[in-house]
Amino acid sequence: MADHVRLVCLRHAEAGNTGTPGALPLVRLTPAGRRQAAGVARLLHDEGVTRVYASTAARSRETADIIAGTLGVPVAVVAGLGEMGLGRLEGSGDAATRARTLAVLRSWLVDGELGEAVADGEDGHTVAARVATALTSIASAHPGETVAVVGHVASLTTGLDALCGLGRRVWGAPLPHAAPFPVEWDGRTWRCPSWPA
């Protein structure tokens, strides 16, 4: 089908912010993360990927650069793919902030309460809308193609929930680092046929 687009989505590879939620735009990949990204590139070698998309965060861009460099395709940066923002609590690694972030994400995905936010950060309406818009724009630019999209655990899950209605089905199965999975667009309908556990 000419309009069919396949997005191979993944959370960025392991970065130095383990356990610290938020956008954290300057955090870079660990050595293990760079090896993970190289492993993804090998997995995608025969998938016909024509472009790799990343958020503006360093860890997402690094992951995308490693994949794209191996595949010989260009990288495009899309701000809308960024991780959920936590406002004044951005970068806080304390247990209370982690617990609140998890509770907010659960309220978005399980309860459908998108008005919740961490401190003065983004609410679910904002995150879902910007990620869904970014993915729709990417799909619209690549009819009949396969592209890779490197995102973040909370925002990518929230955006795909808005498009595919994932909700409770994926709660308790957070995206692991560097585990690609397919998302499909046929010009009318989004499908998320599988979810990495």
Side-chain angles (χ1 to χ4, degrees):
M1 183 174 192
D3 289 338
H4 186 272
V5 182
R6 186 165 173 261
L7 277 60
V8 179
C9 295
L10 63 143
R11 180 186 182 185
H12 60 80
E14 182 187 272
N17 65 318
T18 304
T20 304
L24 304 169
L26 302 180
V27 174
R28 301 185 67 85
L29 295 184
T30 63
R34 288 190 287 277
R35 289 191 296 274
Q36 287 175 341
V40 172
R42 287 191 296 274
L43 282 175
L44 299 182
H45 186 268
D46 296 322
E47 295 295 321
V49 171
T50 58
R51 184 173 292 236
V52 181
Y53 286 87
S55 78
T56 59
R59 61 196 184 276
S60 178
R61 291 194 330 264
E62 275 188 279
T63 303
D65 285 343
I66 292 168
I67 295 168
T70 300
L71 300 181
V73 299
V75 173
V77 173
V78 178
L81 295 173
E83 183 58 294
M84 66 185 286
L86 306 187
R88 67 179 180 274
L89 293 180
E90 190 70 41
S92 174
D94 64 275
T97 300
R98 290 195 302 271
R100 174 61 182 159
T101 303
L102 191 62
V104 167
L105 189 56
R106 185 187 191 284
S107 73
W108 294 353
L109 296 174
V110 177
D111 303 325
E113 298 290 340
L114 296 178
E116 293 290 316
V118 178
D120 58 339
E122 294 178 295
D123 66 16
H125 296 290
T126 302
V127 175
R130 69 171 167 78
V131 177
T133 297
L135 294 175
T136 300
S137 176
I138 290 167
S140 297
H142 295 279
E145 297 180 30
T146 297
V147 297
V149 177
V150 182
H152 301 266
V153 61
S155 61
L156 190 55
T157 303
T158 303
L160 288 173
D161 178 45
L163 295 174
C164 299
L166 301 172
R168 289 181 181 272
R169 182 163 66 94
V170 299
W171 180 251
L175 290 173
H177 292 106
F181 61 98
V183 177
E184 299 169 354
W185 166 247
D186 66 6
R188 292 176 300 177
T189 305
W190 286 94
R191 287 185 63 248
C192 300
S194 64
W195 191 258

XYZ file of all heavy atoms in Angstrom, residues 66-144:
540
model
N 24.442 7.104 15.857
C 25.122 5.819 15.732
C 24.368 4.910 14.761
O 24.958 4.278 13.884
C 25.277 5.150 17.118
C 26.267 5.950 17.969
C 25.731 3.696 16.975
C 26.294 5.566 19.438
N 23.036 4.864 14.915
C 22.226 4.026 14.019
C 22.340 4.511 12.579
O 22.606 3.732 11.663
C 20.758 4.027 14.478
C 20.619 3.367 15.856
C 19.867 3.323 13.444
C 19.267 3.569 16.504
N 22.140 5.814 12.381
C 22.160 6.379 11.030
C 23.526 6.250 10.378
O 23.625 5.998 9.177
C 21.728 7.843 11.076
N 24.586 6.434 11.180
C 25.934 6.320 10.636
C 26.207 4.929 10.091
O 26.826 4.765 9.035
N 25.732 3.921 10.797
C 25.916 2.540 10.347
C 25.071 2.241 9.118
O 25.517 1.560 8.192
C 25.553 1.568 11.482
O 26.412 1.818 12.598
C 25.708 0.122 11.037
N 23.843 2.767 9.104
C 22.931 2.497 7.990
C 23.179 3.388 6.779
O 22.653 3.131 5.696
C 21.478 2.660 8.454
C 21.008 1.753 9.590
C 19.540 2.032 9.919
C 21.207 0.282 9.238
N 23.932 4.464 6.966
C 24.203 5.377 5.856
C 23.004 6.218 5.458
O 22.788 6.480 4.273
N 22.204 6.627 6.453
C 21.026 7.453 6.188
C 21.102 8.732 7.035
O 21.841 8.786 8.012
C 19.711 6.685 6.506
C 19.604 5.433 5.630
C 19.611 6.331 7.982
N 20.336 9.767 6.663
C 20.393 11.014 7.424
C 19.610 10.957 8.730
O 18.744 10.099 8.920
C 19.775 12.039 6.468
C 18.914 11.247 5.556
C 19.536 9.893 5.432
N 19.931 11.905 9.623
C 19.229 12.084 10.889
C 18.489 13.404 10.846
O 19.004 14.408 10.351
C 20.215 12.095 12.076
C 19.499 12.443 13.384
C 20.932 10.768 12.203
N 17.268 13.420 11.374
C 16.510 14.662 11.530
C 16.096 14.787 12.996
O 15.699 13.802 13.618
C 15.275 14.654 10.630
N 16.211 15.991 13.531
C 15.868 16.248 14.926
C 14.491 16.901 14.984
O 14.214 17.856 14.261
C 16.931 17.152 15.589
C 16.507 17.568 16.987
C 18.271 16.421 15.628
N 13.625 16.360 15.848
C 12.257 16.859 15.993
C 12.012 17.156 17.474
O 11.998 16.240 18.303
C 11.227 15.827 15.479
C 9.810 16.336 15.677
C 11.489 15.496 14.014
N 11.813 18.417 17.790
C 11.654 18.830 19.188
C 10.469 18.154 19.865
O 10.507 17.852 21.060
C 11.515 20.345 19.268
N 9.409 17.889 19.124
C 8.211 17.294 19.695
C 8.392 15.909 20.264
O 7.533 15.413 21.002
N 9.522 15.254 19.966
C 9.782 13.906 20.470
C 10.411 13.899 21.857
O 10.685 12.844 22.422
C 10.701 13.150 19.506
C 10.140 12.852 18.119
C 11.224 12.248 17.228
C 8.937 11.911 18.209
N 10.671 15.077 22.451
C 11.355 15.165 23.737
C 10.605 14.503 24.881
O 9.399 14.273 24.817
N 11.344 14.214 25.947
C 10.761 13.595 27.138
C 9.858 14.584 27.870
O 9.974 15.796 27.697
C 11.884 13.099 28.058
C 11.415 12.367 29.318
C 10.556 11.135 29.042
O 9.429 11.298 28.521
O 11.000 10.018 29.389
N 8.948 14.064 28.698
C 8.050 14.910 29.481
C 8.867 15.856 30.361
O 9.865 15.469 30.956
C 7.104 14.067 30.337
C 7.778 13.273 31.432
S 6.656 12.161 32.359
C 5.746 13.314 33.375
N 8.430 17.110 30.408
C 9.108 18.107 31.220
C 8.542 18.142 32.628
O 7.331 18.042 32.825
N 9.430 18.317 33.606
C 9.026 18.318 35.011
C 9.068 19.701 35.645
O 8.977 19.826 36.867
C 9.910 17.365 35.826
C 10.009 15.920 35.333
C 10.773 15.081 36.343
C 8.645 15.311 35.063
N 9.245 20.728 34.840
C 9.247 22.079 35.387
C 10.366 22.289 36.390
O 11.509 21.910 36.148
N 10.045 22.862 37.546
C 11.078 23.202 38.529
C 11.744 21.960 39.142
O 12.805 22.077 39.767
C 10.491 24.081 39.630
C 9.474 23.397 40.522
C 8.955 24.322 41.621
N 7.978 23.668 42.463
C 6.685 23.598 42.210
N 6.205 24.158 41.106
N 5.863 22.992 43.033
N 11.146 20.784 38.967
C 11.741 19.558 39.505
C 12.616 18.830 38.491
O 13.118 17.737 38.768
C 10.639 18.612 40.014
C 9.875 19.107 41.238
C 8.816 18.091 41.656
C 10.812 19.394 42.402
N 12.809 19.452 37.336
C 13.662 18.870 36.295
C 15.039 18.542 36.870
O 15.681 19.382 37.497
C 13.810 19.853 35.144
C 14.466 19.283 33.916
C 13.595 18.277 33.199
O 12.379 18.509 33.078
O 14.131 17.245 32.769
N 15.477 17.296 36.675
C 16.804 16.890 37.126
C 16.868 16.437 38.565
O 17.923 16.016 39.038
N 15.750 16.494 39.277
C 15.728 16.046 40.669
C 15.665 14.529 40.702
O 14.754 13.921 40.141
C 14.517 16.644 41.390
O 14.420 16.108 42.688
N 16.623 13.924 41.374
C 16.655 12.468 41.431
C 16.128 11.902 42.734
O 16.300 10.718 43.009
N 15.463 12.734 43.549
C 14.997 12.247 44.846
C 13.824 11.288 44.671
O 13.119 11.294 43.673
C 14.612 13.418 45.757
C 13.439 14.201 45.205
O 13.657 15.106 44.375
O 12.297 13.892 45.586
N 13.612 10.484 45.699
C 12.586 9.441 45.640
C 11.190 10.021 45.458
O 10.358 9.441 44.760
C 12.646 8.578 46.901
N 10.918 11.167 46.071
C 9.588 11.764 45.972
C 9.277 12.194 44.542
O 8.159 12.004 44.056
C 9.473 12.955 46.922
N 10.253 12.764 43.840
C 10.041 13.187 42.455
C 9.853 11.974 41.553
O 8.986 11.968 40.678
C 11.219 14.042 41.948
O 11.335 15.200 42.778
C 11.005 14.478 40.510
N 10.642 10.942 41.771
C 10.482 9.717 40.975
C 9.105 9.114 41.191
O 8.434 8.695 40.239
C 11.584 8.707 41.314
C 12.964 9.119 40.819
C 13.943 7.957 40.836
N 14.091 7.372 42.157
C 14.976 7.769 43.067
N 15.799 8.778 42.795
N 15.057 7.163 44.244
N 8.661 9.077 42.454
C 7.348 8.510 42.755
C 6.228 9.344 42.141
O 5.259 8.797 41.599
C 7.156 8.403 44.268
N 6.344 10.668 42.208
C 5.321 11.534 41.627
C 5.284 11.376 40.112
O 4.205 11.327 39.502
C 5.580 13.000 42.007
C 4.658 14.012 41.352
C 3.204 13.780 41.710
N 2.339 14.739 41.022
C 1.048 14.555 40.803
N 0.446 13.463 41.234
N 0.342 15.457 40.166
N 6.453 11.276 39.475
C 6.506 11.100 38.024
C 5.809 9.806 37.619
O 5.028 9.771 36.662
C 7.964 11.100 37.530
O 8.594 12.323 37.944
C 8.036 10.982 36.024
N 6.071 8.735 38.352
C 5.436 7.451 38.058
C 3.921 7.537 38.252
O 3.152 7.018 37.436
C 6.030 6.371 38.956
C 5.673 4.925 38.614
C 6.177 4.547 37.230
C 6.254 3.978 39.666
N 3.492 8.222 39.315
C 2.054 8.362 39.576
C 1.365 9.161 38.472
O 0.247 8.834 38.053
C 1.834 9.034 40.930
N 2.028 10.216 37.993
C 1.459 11.032 36.922
C 1.355 10.208 35.641
O 0.318 10.221 34.961
C 2.299 12.300 36.698
C 1.921 12.987 35.386
C 2.112 13.262 37.870
N 2.397 9.481 35.305
C 2.367 8.659 34.098
C 1.263 7.608 34.188
O 0.547 7.355 33.211
C 3.729 8.010 33.869
C 3.933 7.292 32.541
C 3.670 8.217 31.362
C 5.327 6.709 32.461
N 1.098 7.016 35.361
C 0.021 6.043 35.539
C -1.341 6.709 35.344
O -2.237 6.141 34.710
C 0.079 5.403 36.924
C -0.942 4.298 37.102
C -1.009 3.771 38.526
N -1.801 2.552 38.590
C -3.133 2.499 38.530
N -3.848 3.613 38.397
N -3.764 1.336 38.584
N -1.492 7.906 35.866
C -2.778 8.597 35.710
C -3.068 8.882 34.240
O -4.223 8.791 33.811
C -2.806 9.894 36.533
O -1.994 10.897 35.953
N -2.036 9.186 33.458
C -2.232 9.429 32.024
C -2.645 8.151 31.305
O -3.601 8.139 30.537
C -0.955 9.952 31.387
C -0.492 11.298 31.840
C -1.148 12.170 32.666
C 0.748 11.925 31.502
N -0.386 13.302 32.852
C 0.778 13.172 32.156
C 1.835 11.556 30.720
C 1.853 14.057 32.041
C 2.909 12.421 30.603
C 2.919 13.669 31.252
N -1.877 7.077 31.524
C -2.042 5.861 30.732
C -3.178 4.961 31.210
O -3.895 4.381 30.392
C -0.737 5.055 30.733
C 0.470 5.725 30.079
C 1.711 4.882 30.282
C 0.218 5.970 28.603
N -3.328 4.833 32.507
C -4.300 3.892 33.048
C -5.644 4.558 33.318
O -6.702 4.016 32.990
C -3.755 3.220 34.328
C -4.800 2.287 34.942
C -2.469 2.448 34.021
N -5.591 5.754 33.919
C -6.829 6.420 34.323
C -7.352 7.423 33.292
O -8.473 7.913 33.428
C -6.624 7.142 35.657
C -6.147 6.203 36.752
O -6.571 5.032 36.744
O -5.343 6.623 37.604
N -6.539 7.745 32.301
C -6.954 8.729 31.305
C -7.045 10.141 31.849
O -7.703 10.994 31.258
N -6.358 10.400 32.967
C -6.368 11.729 33.595
C -5.184 12.537 33.068
O -4.134 12.627 33.705
C -6.301 11.588 35.123
C -7.469 10.856 35.739
C -8.758 11.658 35.672
O -8.697 12.894 35.511
O -9.839 11.045 35.766
N -5.359 13.135 31.913
C -4.248 13.828 31.256
C -3.966 15.206 31.833
O -2.974 15.837 31.465
C -4.524 13.937 29.755
C -4.600 12.610 29.000
C -4.924 12.850 27.537
C -3.319 11.818 29.139
N -4.793 15.684 32.723
C -4.563 16.990 33.325
C -3.504 16.983 34.408
O -3.063 18.041 34.852
N -3.068 15.803 34.841
C -2.054 15.699 35.892
C -0.684 16.112 35.363
O -0.368 15.940 34.184
C -1.980 14.259 36.407
C -3.220 13.801 37.136
C -3.378 14.506 38.474
O -2.388 14.648 39.213
O -4.513 14.920 38.776
N 0.171 16.635 36.262
C 1.530 17.042 35.910
C 2.424 16.899 37.130
O 1.954 16.853 38.266
C 1.542 18.487 35.416
N 3.717 16.834 36.891
C 4.697 16.861 37.966
C 5.053 18.323 38.198
O 5.541 18.997 37.280
C 5.963 16.060 37.612
C 6.992 16.152 38.741
C 5.616 14.604 37.317
N 4.781 18.821 39.405
C 5.050 20.218 39.753
C 4.447 21.135 38.685
O 3.283 20.991 38.321
C 6.552 20.441 39.937
N 5.255 22.038 38.143
C 4.784 22.960 37.107
C 5.209 22.490 35.716
O 5.330 23.288 34.787
C 5.292 24.378 37.370
C 6.818 24.444 37.445
O 7.454 23.394 37.694
O 7.375 25.539 37.270
N 5.410 21.189 35.572
C 5.814 20.631 34.289
C 4.644 20.412 33.352
O 3.523 20.873 33.595
N 4.899 19.685 32.269
C 3.885 19.447 31.253
C 2.802 18.499 31.743
O 3.092 17.538 32.452
C 4.523 18.817 30.010
C 5.492 19.693 29.271
C 6.087 18.950 28.098
O 6.814 17.958 28.328
O 5.817 19.346 26.954
N 1.572 18.754 31.328
C 0.513 17.788 31.608
C 0.419 16.794 30.450
O 1.095 16.927 29.423
C -0.831 18.468 31.889
C -1.412 19.209 30.696
O -0.975 18.984 29.541
O -2.331 20.015 30.904
N -0.418 15.779 30.636
C -0.522 14.731 29.634
C -1.095 15.193 28.314
O -0.736 14.662 27.257
N -1.990 16.170 28.358
C -2.541 16.705 27.106
C -1.423 17.258 26.234
O -1.377 17.010 25.021
C -3.552 17.819 27.392
C -4.772 17.376 28.126
N -5.729 16.568 27.544
C -5.189 17.612 29.404
C -6.705 16.340 28.418
N -6.396 16.950 29.559
N -0.514 18.004 26.861
C 0.585 18.633 26.126
C 1.530 17.594 25.549
O 1.908 17.652 24.372
C 1.360 19.590 27.056
O 0.450 20.565 27.571
C 2.491 20.282 26.321
N 1.929 16.626 26.392
C 2.873 15.606 25.943
C 2.262 14.746 24.836
O 2.887 14.518 23.789
C 3.331 14.732 27.127
C 4.222 13.579 26.646
C 4.079 15.576 28.155
N 1.035 14.283 25.046
C 0.389 13.435 24.040
C 0.240 14.170 22.717
O 0.515 13.597 21.647
C -0.981 12.976 24.551
N -0.169 15.431 22.778
C -0.397 16.191 21.549
C 0.891 16.431 20.784
O 0.933 16.253 19.561
C -1.078 17.519 21.870
N 1.957 16.816 21.476
C 3.187 17.140 20.735
C 3.846 15.896 20.149
O 4.367 15.924 19.028
C 4.149 17.964 21.582
C 4.796 17.283 22.742
C 5.884 18.177 23.342
N 6.338 17.713 24.628
C 7.183 16.704 24.812
N 7.660 16.023 23.774
N 7.559 16.350 26.035
N 3.805 14.778 20.884
C 4.418 13.554 20.348
C 3.562 12.989 19.215
O 4.093 12.577 18.173
C 4.651 12.514 21.455
C 5.216 11.218 20.857
C 5.600 13.055 22.512
N 2.248 12.974 19.385
C 1.372 12.487 18.317
C 1.519 13.343 17.066
O 1.549 12.821 15.937
C -0.079 12.465 18.790
N 1.624 14.648 17.247
C 1.828 15.550 16.103
C 3.153 15.262 15.415
O 3.237 15.214 14.177
C 1.766 17.016 16.559
O 0.455 17.284 17.078
C 2.063 17.973 15.418
N 4.209 15.055 16.200
C 5.523 14.760 15.627
C 5.495 13.460 14.832
O 5.992 13.400 13.697
C 6.571 14.683 16.740
N 4.901 12.407 15.396
C 4.853 11.116 14.702
C 4.000 11.187 13.441
O 4.355 10.601 12.408
C 4.333 10.040 15.647
C 5.226 9.700 16.839
C 4.540 8.710 17.765
C 6.576 9.173 16.383
N 2.902 11.926 13.492
C 2.045 12.075 12.320
C 2.762 12.845 11.218
O 2.675 12.492 10.033
C 0.729 12.774 12.712
O 0.066 11.972 13.704
C -0.186 12.942 11.513
N 3.500 13.868 11.610
C 4.273 14.642 10.629
C 5.358 13.785 9.986
O 5.570 13.835 8.763
C 4.890 15.863 11.326
O 5.699 16.578 10.434
N 6.031 12.991 10.795
C 7.066 12.094 10.268
C 6.447 11.103 9.286
O 6.952 10.902 8.167
C 7.771 11.359 11.429
C 8.632 12.339 12.226
C 8.613 10.192 10.906
C 9.121 11.790 13.560
N 5.342 10.478 9.682
C 4.689 9.497 8.802
C 4.235 10.138 7.502
O 4.385 9.551 6.418
C 3.508 8.855 9.529
N 3.705 11.347 7.581
C 3.210 12.031 6.379
C 4.322 12.328 5.385
O 4.078 12.416 4.180
C 2.523 13.339 6.782
O 1.394 13.068 7.580
N 5.544 12.478 5.890
C 6.681 12.801 5.023
C 7.305 11.575 4.365
O 8.183 11.718 3.511
C 7.747 13.543 5.835
N 6.843 10.361 4.741
C 7.504 9.147 4.256
C 6.532 8.073 3.766
O 6.623 6.914 4.177
C 8.397 8.571 5.364
C 9.529 9.462 5.733
N 10.693 9.530 5.008
C 9.650 10.360 6.749
C 11.507 10.409 5.562
N 10.900 10.931 6.622
N 5.614 8.407 2.862
C 4.691 7.376 2.376
C 5.450 6.217 1.738
O 6.375 6.418 0.959
C 3.826 8.121 1.359
C 4.628 9.326 0.968
C 5.431 9.700 2.172
N 5.056 5.008 2.130
C 5.662 3.816 1.558
C 7.043 3.482 2.085
O 7.679 2.548 1.592
